[in-house]
Amino acid sequence: QTPLKKTNALIAQMGVTFVNAYVPSALCCPSRASILTGKYPHNHHVVNNTLEGNCSSKLWQKIQEPYTFPALLKTMCGYQTFFAGKYLNEYGAEDAGGVGHVPPGWSFWYALEKNSKYYNYTLSVNGKARRHGENYSVDYLTDVLANMSLDFLEYKSNFEPFFMMISTPAPHSPWTAAPQYKKSFQNVSAPRNSNFNIHGKNKHWLIRQAKTPMTNSSIQFLDDAYRKRWQTLLSVDDLIEKLVKKLELNGELDNTYIFYTSDNGFHTGQFSLPIDKRQLYEFDIKVPLLVRGPGIKPNQTNKMLVANIDLGPTILDIAGYDLNKTQMDGMSLLPLLTGDKNVTWRSDFLVEYQGEGYNGSDPTCPGLGPGVTHCFPDCVCEDSYNNTYACVRTLSTSWDLQYCEFDDREVFVEVYNLTADPHQINNIAKTIDQEILEKMNYRLMMLQSCSGATCRTPGVFDPGYRFDPRLMFSNHGVRARRFSAQSL
């Protein structure tokens, strides 16, 4: 059972499914900024979903927006560009130009003010505010986005190539399904993998504090959320079917690339965390990525390690733009899409997140003190100031590993061998070979300070990797010393 049957038939079965696609930061705004810029968060500086965290701030508009891949597509490659849906969580904020601000690079702009909604929202239509109410046939956002997209395909110029970015908030909360789908999936509940509703022992303190086992009301809540998310995706599935049919009708389907992906994963009950994202585990950082288009053979699966920072470079590469002229950290997926056998690919990439908390203590959780946020009943908090971490996620012929360090008092380290432990239950930081730990720590520091081409250097398990432990104590002294002094 899946809510995306048509998407699967029209994109996955007609093209390639990347089974190891990730986001460097499992939160909407940093992740969307990575898609647009092709950069890791430490290079685009969007750290969370607030204006202070650089989400759609004036600084972002000035420094990053002019160099996003759509801006380059429009100005350098002559594309007509179309955007519809959720842009960045704080888009439209008064302090950052309101809905009158249309980012450079878009010929047609239909962007949602602020965060996810399905009814009662405002769109910026090329910089002019348009209010929508709660009448399903004219206001349900997923369908409105579908109709605007079909209109664009109907009336666009046929003399210029086109690029469309359709960004549905679904399946984001508030999970309002279209009326015809409200009764769907009545018997569906969240997956019960081996990490469901267990205590996150050997994990950092935020995970350890979750109440285990969860209460019946928490379980009912997360199952309900899971079902409603699926229901909202049925309208996304309809949107994709309409678009593919329209491209076919226009005679453009065979020379159009279609990418389907998401900005982050989501957990429902793993390690007794009811619902959210922003954790370092597979269920939050892994996303779907399906691509069909010219030169892509149908029904393929690709196991290479790919990330959302690769989308911009890929699309620019398809458009014939020289990637050396960009400051992007990602790599073009085009050789993987077309089945190039001689391609050398990365064996690792960086995951980074800066925790978000606020100064007061949470009323549901006074015992935890200030700095926590996104708390549920039973005092399960999903984020905090020191939920700040960086990881190297490694996937090579011989290793499937994740190495993470927390920027907290404990300098907590988590390491997982996903070959033996795909659900990341056992943290092996204390038992893994010390030499591997040191190499991973060194690699993490290199990636955390990388930019552009240096983000694509060989990982620890690549044949080309060079490890010079002396460097650990010269340029990045403090963290490395603190790390090696720790008794692992």
Side-chain angles (χ1 to χ4, degrees):
Q1 235 178 308
T2 165
L4 292 165
K5 287 198 168 111
K6 302 171 192 175
T7 304
N8 191 41
L10 294 169
I11 306 180
Q13 286 169 25
M14 300 304 289
V16 59
T17 300
F18 286 92
V19 290
N20 292 304
Y22 290 88
V23 295
S25 200
L27 188 60
C28 329
C29 209
S31 186
R32 286 159 183 270
S34 284
I35 291 172
L36 290 161
T37 59
K39 294 177 184 179
Y40 281 123
H42 69 265
N43 289 329
H44 62 57
H45 307 296
V46 177
V47 295
N48 59 38
N49 289 345
T50 65
L51 272 180
E52 300 71 42
N54 202 27
C55 180
S56 209
S57 68
K58 288 219 155 131
L59 191 70
W60 153 268
Q61 291 170 15
K62 185 175 154 198
I63 295 177
Q64 302 298 340
E65 272 186 350
Y67 305 102
T68 61
F69 80 85
L72 295 173
L73 273 183
K74 184 168 185 273
T75 54
M76 309 309 263
C77 311
Y79 273 65
Q80 48 191 327
T81 55
F82 169 92
F83 182 88
K86 176 177 168 179
Y87 178 58
L88 298 172
N89 299 51
E90 284 294 326
Y91 172 75
E94 284 309 310
D95 298 355
V99 293
H101 170 70
V102 178
W106 299 103
S107 329
F108 301 91
W109 178 253
Y110 302 95
L112 181 65
E113 179 192 28
K114 301 285 184 78
N115 203 359
S116 309
K117 282 185 174 177
Y118 295 78
Y119 294 109
N120 296 313
Y121 53 86
T122 297
L123 289 178
S124 168
V125 178
N126 299 318
K128 302 244 180 327
R130 182 188 293 170
R131 280 288 305 153
H132 277 264
E134 50 192 50
N135 174 345
Y136 169 69
S137 61
V138 292
D139 297 318
Y140 187 66
L141 183 62
T142 311
D143 294 353
V144 169
L145 299 179
N147 294 337
M148 288 171 161
S149 305
L150 295 173
D151 279 352
F152 169 74
L153 286 174
E154 181 68 29
Y155 298 113
K156 69 178 174 55
S157 153
N158 289 329
F159 302 106
E160 297 169 312
F162 69 94
F163 168 74
M164 305 175 74
M165 188 168 186
I166 304 155
S167 181
T168 66
H172 200 288
S173 65
W175 315 308
T176 315
Q180 67 272 32
Y181 295 135
K182 280 197 188 310
K183 297 268 190 298
S184 306
F185 306 121
Q186 290 301 339
N187 57 348
V188 165
S189 51
R192 302 310 201 241
N193 290 335
S194 51
N195 56 8
F196 180 82
N197 201 10
I198 63 166
H199 184 251
K201 61 181 195 313
N202 302 327
K203 297 194 165 25
H204 65 105
W205 76 272
L206 194 62
I207 309 291
R208 294 196 302 264
Q209 57 83 32
K211 179 181 164 62
T212 311
M214 292 181 285
T215 58
N216 288 346
S217 60
S218 282
I219 292 177
Q220 198 177 340
F221 173 71
L222 68 87
D223 276 338
D224 197 34
Y226 191 84
R227 192 162 40 248
K228 285 178 174 165
R229 287 163 62 79
W230 270 33
Q231 290 167 357
T232 66
L233 285 172
L234 289 169
S235 295
V236 176
D237 207 33
D238 291 342
L239 175 153
I240 284 160
E241 181 186 42
K242 288 173 194 162
L243 278 171
V244 172
K245 279 188 166 162
K246 181 68 179 163
L247 286 166
E248 195 167 24
L249 196 66
N250 286 1
E252 295 179 316
L253 185 58
D254 292 343
N255 62 358
T256 302
Y257 288 90
I258 305 175
F259 292 75
Y260 177 91
T261 189
S262 174
D263 54 1
N264 48 252
F266 201 70
H267 54 258
T268 39
Q270 289 90 341
F271 305 128
S272 301
L273 301 169
I275 59 160
D276 197 45
K277 50 248 177 173
R278 61 186 112 218
Q279 303 302 335
L280 55 91
Y281 309 102
E282 293 285 284
F283 43 73
D284 284 0
I285 61 172
K286 202 166 190 176
V287 291
L289 178 58
L290 318 171
V291 193
R292 70 170 284 174
I296 303 177
K297 293 190 180 75
N299 243 328
Q300 290 189 82
T301 315
N302 188 299
K303 293 186 173 158
M304 293 297 193
L305 189 59
V306 302
N308 71 0
I309 53 173
D310 301 333
L311 295 169
T314 305
I315 291 164
L316 288 172
D317 197 12
I318 288 169
Y321 188 72
D322 178 1
L323 296 177
N324 294 326
K325 293 182 179 164
T326 72
Q327 298 296 305
M328 293 182 176
D329 303 333
M331 303 165 69
S332 168
L333 303 174
L334 196 53
L336 301 184
L337 295 174
T338 51
D340 183 345
K341 293 284 178 279
N342 295 328
V343 63
T344 52
W345 201 253
R346 67 162 76 86
S347 68
D348 67 1
F349 80 100
L350 174 70
V351 179
E352 49 188 351
Y353 179 65
Q354 193 168 318
E356 207 179 331
Y358 66 119
N359 292 333
S361 33
D362 192 287
T364 53
C365 255
L368 284 179
V372 294
T373 179
H374 297 82
C375 297
F376 284 87
D378 313 320
C379 201
V380 182
C381 297
E382 295 276 4
D383 207 0
S384 68
Y385 279 131
N386 62 357
N387 182 36
T388 295
Y389 57 80
C391 309
V392 180
R393 180 73 182 87
T394 294
L395 190 60
S396 66
T397 42
S398 46
W399 291 92
D400 189 354
L401 272 187
Q402 187 175 13
Y403 167 90
C404 302
E405 279 180 33
F406 278 80
D407 191 9
D408 60 9
R409 275 207 302 267
E410 295 180 278
V411 197
F412 200 77
V413 176
E414 293 188 35
V415 184
Y416 298 98
N417 172 359
L418 283 100
T419 310
D421 177 24
H423 295 127
Q424 296 171 295
I425 293 165
N426 302 309
N427 176 8
I428 56 170
K430 290 189 165 65
T431 54
I432 195 170
D433 181 34
Q434 180 72 26
E435 190 189 348
I436 291 185
L437 272 184
E438 282 177 14
K439 282 183 175 175
M440 294 300 268
N441 167 246
Y442 171 66
R443 178 66 182 150
L444 181 60
M445 289 188 309
M446 300 310 282
L447 282 172
Q448 280 188 286
S449 55
C450 78
S451 173
T454 57
C455 297
R456 306 189 283 270
T457 54
V460 172
F461 297 100
D462 282 334
Y465 177 76
R466 295 282 172 270
F467 172 58
D468 181 355
R470 286 169 312 187
L471 290 174
M472 291 175 67
F473 299 99
S474 54
N475 49 1
H476 302 277
V478 186
R479 280 198 38 233
R481 255 192 297 271
R482 196 170 69 182
F483 171 80
S484 49
Q486 198 189 338
S487 55
L488 281 164

